Amino acid sequence: MSTLVLLRHGESTWNAENLFTGWWDVDLSPAGEVQATQSGALMADAEIALDVVHTSLQTRAIRTANLALDEMGLSWLPVRRHWRLNERHYGDLTGKNKAETTEEYGEEQVFVWRRSYDVRPPATAPDNPYNPNSDRRYADLPPEVLPSSECLADVVDRMLPYWFDGIVPDLAMGRVVLVAAHGNSLRALIKHLDRIADDAIADLNIATGVPYVYELDDHFAPKQHKPVIERALGDRTAIAAAAQRVADQAKQKA
């Protein structure tokens, strides 16, 4: 048996402003810093003895892991980082307010862009000031793997190689693994672990700053199949409400 903990970063500054963020690099908000620290306390209270951490290349996930580890007294743990754990690339939606985008394009279209499995948002326009692709951290990526927009199916395809080649080997060694990443990269991994159908994944929303614990068998599949909310550490009623707020972001008024 091996233990995997999934942790979406704490609230970011752009989460607080209800903006499509994707690959654009933003920091945690003050509330997100508190969430990250609390996630460490929750893992410590649950006596989860982490051995290794995997994060994306994005600051909000990195700082969430750091704050959680500091709270647990585990800042010395080895950490591996990879772009394949990045958030979904939102293309030309990056930097736009979700509610304003709904007003412009309609709720149905924005829902398709946000939650459909295989429909990408518009590709990044040349004049988009929030085009993240020129960021130095991606300078060595081959052009054919650097996205200009992604749907969740794309995230599954680019995340799974790192799951098999980067994370599973740690689990196979019996290590307790923390993955600190993003709403969509974690949805992609949960889809794989829980074998969620393409047309059902739209209903899954991941709250910020909440650890979700998976006990895996020798084939790195969940030992028990149960709703994702039942894997969460903390007040599950509050967590479910936070996840619903994620689902409703495009309906909020700017």
Side-chain angles (χ1 to χ4, degrees):
M1 185 177 73
S2 52
T3 301
L4 172 70
V5 184
L6 306 181
L7 175 62
R8 183 184 176 190
H9 61 79
E11 180 192 69
S12 74
T13 55
W14 276 22
N15 288 148
E17 295 177 44
N18 203 25
L19 305 180
F20 286 101
T21 311
W23 277 37
W24 191 254
D25 198 48
V26 298
D27 205 344
L28 297 177
S29 69
E33 292 175 342
V34 172
Q35 290 175 349
T37 298
Q38 289 176 339
S39 74
L42 287 168
M43 288 186 281
D45 289 345
E47 299 183 343
I48 296 174
L50 298 174
D51 296 305
V52 64
V53 182
H54 295 259
T55 79
S56 72
L57 297 186
Q58 298 182 275
T59 299
R60 56 197 186 271
I62 293 168
R63 290 202 62 230
T64 294
N66 290 346
L67 289 167
L69 294 176
D70 286 347
E71 179 67 16
M72 300 174 77
L74 295 175
S75 58
W76 52 270
L77 283 184
V79 179
R80 319 191 208 287
R81 312 196 195 286
H82 207 282
W83 71 273
R84 290 186 181 275
L85 292 176
N86 274 17
E87 177 58 290
R88 171 187 172 191
H89 195 304
Y90 272 107
D92 208 42
L93 297 183
T94 304
K96 296 182 184 296
N97 181 279
K98 294 175 183 176
E100 291 175 356
T101 304
T102 297
E103 291 177 5
E104 181 176 358
Y105 294 100
E107 186 172 327
E108 183 177 348
Q109 178 62 75
V110 174
F111 180 83
V112 169
W113 284 336
R114 290 189 70 217
R115 283 293 179 258
S116 68
Y117 183 61
D118 56 4
V119 178
R120 296 173 184 146
T124 307
D127 62 347
N128 188 322
Y130 299 111
N131 182 356
N133 290 24
S134 60
D135 193 300
R136 177 183 171 190
R137 72 197 78 190
Y138 309 123
D140 294 333
L141 287 185
E144 60 268 22
V145 303
L146 189 64
S148 59
S149 178
E150 291 180 306
C151 59
L152 187 60
D154 295 322
V155 181
V156 171
D157 287 344
R158 56 104 157 151
M159 181 279 304
L160 281 179
Y162 188 72
W163 163 251
F164 289 116
D165 297 339
I167 300 173
V168 166
D170 280 332
L171 294 167
M173 294 290 292
R175 297 174 179 133
V176 178
V177 176
L178 171 66
V179 177
H182 306 266
N184 283 295
S185 51
L186 294 180
R187 288 174 71 232
L189 181 50
I190 290 170
K191 183 181 190 303
H192 168 74
L193 291 171
D194 288 331
R195 300 184 181 278
I196 299 174
D198 296 355
D199 59 356
I201 193 63
D203 296 328
L204 176 63
N205 294 282
I206 307 297
T208 55
V210 175
Y212 296 83
V213 182
Y214 279 76
E215 300 295 346
L216 305 178
D217 62 22
D218 291 342
H219 301 286
F220 310 106
K223 290 194 71 176
Q224 291 182 311
H225 291 282
K226 55 186 178 181
V228 174
I229 188 64
E230 294 184 16
R231 303 185 186 280
L233 299 180
D235 182 337
R236 290 176 181 167
T237 300
I239 293 167
Q244 185 59 47
R245 287 194 293 272
V246 173
D248 292 340
Q249 283 171 341
K251 300 178 183 178
Q252 296 171 358
K253 294 183 179 180

